[in-house]
Amino acid sequence: MSQKNNFSTRLHTVKYVFLLLFSIGTVTNTMLAQTVDYTEYTGEVLDTDSKKPLIFATLTVENTNVSTITNSEGQFSLKVPKEYTENNVTIAFLGYKTKQIAISELDEEKNKIYMTEFAMALSEARIDAPNDAEKLVFETLNRKGDNYLDESTVMTAFYRETIKKRRTNVSLSEAVVNIYKTPYSSKKTDALELYKARKSTDYTKLDTVALKLQGGPFNTLFVDMVKYPDYIFTPETLAYYDFSFDTSTRVNDQLIYVIEFKQKPEIIDPLYNGKLYIDAENKILTRAIYSLNITDKRLASQMFVRKKPRNAEVWPTEVSYRVDYREKNGKWYYGYSNVLLEFKIDWDKRLFNSIYSMNCEMAITDWERNTNESYPKYKDRMKSSIILSDEAIGFADPDFWGEYNIIEPEKSIESAIKKIQRQLRKNKSTSGATAR
């Protein structure tokens, strides 16, 4: 098969990721239905010396699957079931010494956790790895059956998507979902089931464009590169990249090889550039951060834009991805992913253009073995019609999330939610007065 035909097939696959639509089904899973007493701990994770926030640091309750992640301001909210309050919490961040703190030593509010950067010896900082970076990537992806979860699980995940016009939030949607995760060695696609969702949208700030993200949580799920390698690397497309070793680092006190990849100069179709973080001893992908080459903006537009106004041209200006994996008892699994899509809209007969960004992220907050190999019925799965911002119900319920861990919102998002809550209370009060 020619290179062009190979790429055309892959391009169709990439489009499929972002154009999927899924609907809401009835949830019966007991993992999310149970009520658990918990204590909530909030705070931030910071660098010891610079005091800068550490973004996407992972906090995990020791000997459990309960975890959360810090937001873009280093802040966290961790809800710990009462039965685990005598455990420790483990804090991990790439390039820093892993830290353990007894949960009993934490305050319920305003904790400041300081992390110390790992000082690597010069011999470690130099590259001490196989000469063939491409071969290492290929071997790593082929060892998923040995290094990643080899059993079916049901994962609880928190999902958030935001749409901004420049710096202004115009749409916020959040959900708790069940992920019926199949073994990493299986080619069977994971199933998703919606448990709770809420949203706010102010389309008055969107010009004449009702910008919406199709696919919801599936956009982040398919960034799980180990489970779904064909969305970025296939045996054929590996040859389209140049791989090289960057400076090594450490995570959880393990030496990590950093592999940089970028598409070859002679390849004109849009592929990816980024870095892979591979456990040196066991050849395990622990993290990937990469972006799409959007030099050909017309082709990139075809990949992501379903509809647009006739009097406008829509171009993606940034498309970037991130996926992090976590480890328990020697087995790794998908823990967090993030997708950022930024678009520019050029309007006919307008002096200024519009800039929009769409960001979605999903974090695994708990999981358990799916011992019965049970999966939701087809009618209960997220199907091919959901746009989460159209389906979610609003921010009116202050106890909406209950005991489920979420990613702490950024200040701008939190302010937007509070503003909407005030407006809802005001509208309710006005309606009550009219009724009298």
Side-chain angles (χ1 to χ4, degrees):
M1 184 179 291
S2 69
Q3 173 184 312
K4 185 175 181 180
N5 288 339
N6 271 336
F7 178 76
S8 296
T9 301
R10 190 195 63 80
L11 176 58
H12 176 73
T13 303
V14 173
K15 288 178 67 177
Y16 187 65
V17 177
F18 289 94
L19 298 181
L20 281 172
L21 299 170
F22 294 88
S23 65
I24 303 174
T26 304
V27 178
T28 57
N29 182 273
T30 57
M31 183 177 181
L32 288 173
Q34 58 189 352
T35 300
V36 180
D37 289 334
Y38 65 91
T39 301
E40 181 176 7
Y41 302 91
T42 61
E44 52 189 332
V45 179
L46 307 166
D47 178 280
T48 299
D49 298 322
S50 68
K51 305 301 186 290
K52 69 177 183 180
L54 298 184
I55 301 168
F56 305 138
T58 301
L59 296 91
T60 306
V61 179
E62 190 178 30
N63 299 320
T64 76
N65 300 322
V66 177
S67 61
T68 192
I69 193 166
T70 58
N71 67 4
S72 60
E73 297 167 337
Q75 300 168 338
F76 69 88
S77 170
L78 178 64
K79 297 177 182 178
V80 182
K82 295 289 188 182
E83 60 186 297
Y84 300 138
T85 51
E86 298 302 316
N87 295 29
N88 296 329
V89 60
T90 300
I91 306 97
F93 187 77
L94 182 68
Y96 284 72
K97 294 181 181 178
T98 301
K99 191 167 190 175
Q100 282 195 334
I101 300 175
I103 293 175
S104 59
E105 296 179 5
L106 293 176
D107 296 324
E108 292 187 17
E109 295 182 354
K110 299 181 179 179
N111 294 282
K112 290 186 181 292
I113 300 175
Y114 293 97
M115 303 279 286
T116 303
E117 196 167 2
F118 197 97
M120 296 184 66
L122 183 61
S123 59
E124 287 186 307
R126 292 175 178 171
I127 299 302
D128 180 20
N131 293 325
D132 193 335
E134 179 180 339
K135 182 179 179 181
L136 177 60
V137 172
F138 184 79
E139 291 178 356
T140 298
L141 294 176
N142 280 344
R143 294 190 61 180
K144 60 183 178 181
D146 299 326
N147 294 325
Y148 294 81
L149 286 177
D150 57 356
E151 57 189 350
S152 296
T153 56
V154 182
M155 295 181 170
T156 305
F158 171 76
Y159 172 81
R160 173 186 288 136
E161 64 182 48
T162 64
I163 299 176
K164 295 183 179 181
K165 181 182 178 183
R166 298 192 184 275
R167 296 183 179 181
T168 303
N169 287 293
V170 294
S171 180
L172 312 170
S173 302
E174 297 176 327
V176 171
V177 299
N178 279 330
I179 303 175
Y180 289 79
K181 196 78 174 168
T182 60
Y184 272 84
S185 57
S186 171
K187 293 184 179 180
K188 186 177 180 181
T189 302
D190 303 328
L192 267 67
E193 195 174 39
L194 187 63
Y195 178 62
K196 289 184 176 181
R198 62 180 182 175
K199 65 103 179 254
S200 73
T201 303
D202 186 356
Y203 286 121
T204 63
K205 299 175 181 176
L206 278 172
D207 293 320
T208 57
V209 178
L211 198 64
K212 299 179 181 180
L213 180 64
Q214 299 183 356
F218 278 82
N219 289 313
T220 46
L221 181 67
F222 287 145
V223 182
D224 182 355
M225 187 186 297
V226 177
K227 178 67 175 175
Y228 303 102
D230 288 352
Y231 289 127
I232 178 169
F233 294 132
T234 67
E236 293 81 15
T237 58
L238 276 175
Y240 300 164
Y241 293 95
D242 287 324
F243 294 87
S244 60
F245 287 99
D246 203 342
T247 304
S248 302
T249 185
R250 281 187 174 266
V251 64
N252 294 344
D253 299 329
Q254 295 294 317
L255 180 64
I256 301 294
Y257 294 142
V258 181
I259 309 296
E260 185 174 4
F261 66 95
K262 55 186 178 181
Q263 72 178 79
K264 292 181 176 180
E266 63 270 22
I267 304 298
I268 61 174
D269 294 315
L271 296 178
Y272 301 94
N273 305 306
K275 293 184 178 182
L276 307 174
Y277 297 80
I278 297 176
D279 182 291
E281 181 178 356
N282 300 303
K283 296 181 180 177
I284 298 168
L285 181 67
T286 63
R287 171 177 296 176
I289 301 174
Y290 56 101
S291 59
L292 181 69
N293 176 4
I294 53 176
T295 304
D296 188 333
K297 62 180 184 179
R298 290 191 179 277
L299 185 54
S301 179
Q302 293 172 14
M303 295 170 67
F304 296 100
V305 180
R306 169 66 68 87
K307 294 180 180 179
K308 66 180 181 65
R310 292 182 179 180
N311 62 331
E313 295 292 340
V314 183
W315 316 111
T317 57
E318 182 179 354
V319 181
S320 57
Y321 310 83
R322 177 194 182 100
V323 59
D324 291 349
Y325 295 90
R326 301 174 188 160
E327 181 268 340
K328 184 180 180 184
N329 298 330
K331 292 292 185 178
W332 290 73
Y333 61 96
Y334 163 74
Y336 173 81
S337 62
N338 183 297
V339 181
L340 172 64
L341 306 170
E342 187 174 276
F343 295 89
K344 177 188 289 187
I345 302 180
D346 291 325
W347 298 93
D348 292 344
K349 301 179 181 179
R350 288 196 193 181
L351 183 60
F352 300 104
N353 55 40
S354 302
I355 303 294
Y356 294 95
S357 62
M358 308 173 73
N359 184 277
C360 54
E361 59 184 336
M362 186 160 67
I364 303 303
T365 60
D366 200 358
W367 61 274
E368 63 183 17
R369 291 182 177 88
N370 189 359
T371 54
N372 297 325
E373 298 284 335
S374 60
Y375 292 90
K377 296 179 180 179
Y378 182 78
K379 67 181 180 66
D380 295 333
R381 299 184 189 186
M382 299 180 76
K383 302 181 179 70
S384 59
S385 60
I386 195 172
I387 296 175
L388 187 62
S389 60
D390 285 348
E391 300 292 340
I393 60 175
F395 282 96
D397 184 358
D399 300 318
F400 188 86
W401 298 117
E403 71 270 23
Y404 305 115
N405 278 301
I406 68 170
I407 304 169
E408 190 73 4
E410 300 172 2
K411 287 186 175 68
S412 60
I413 294 176
E414 188 174 29
S415 299
I417 294 172
K418 289 180 179 178
K419 181 178 179 180
I420 292 166
Q421 288 175 333
R422 289 196 299 269
Q423 186 63 40
L424 287 170
R425 287 195 294 268
K426 181 179 178 181
N427 291 344
K428 184 176 180 180
S429 176
T430 302
S431 297
T434 302
R436 291 193 299 270

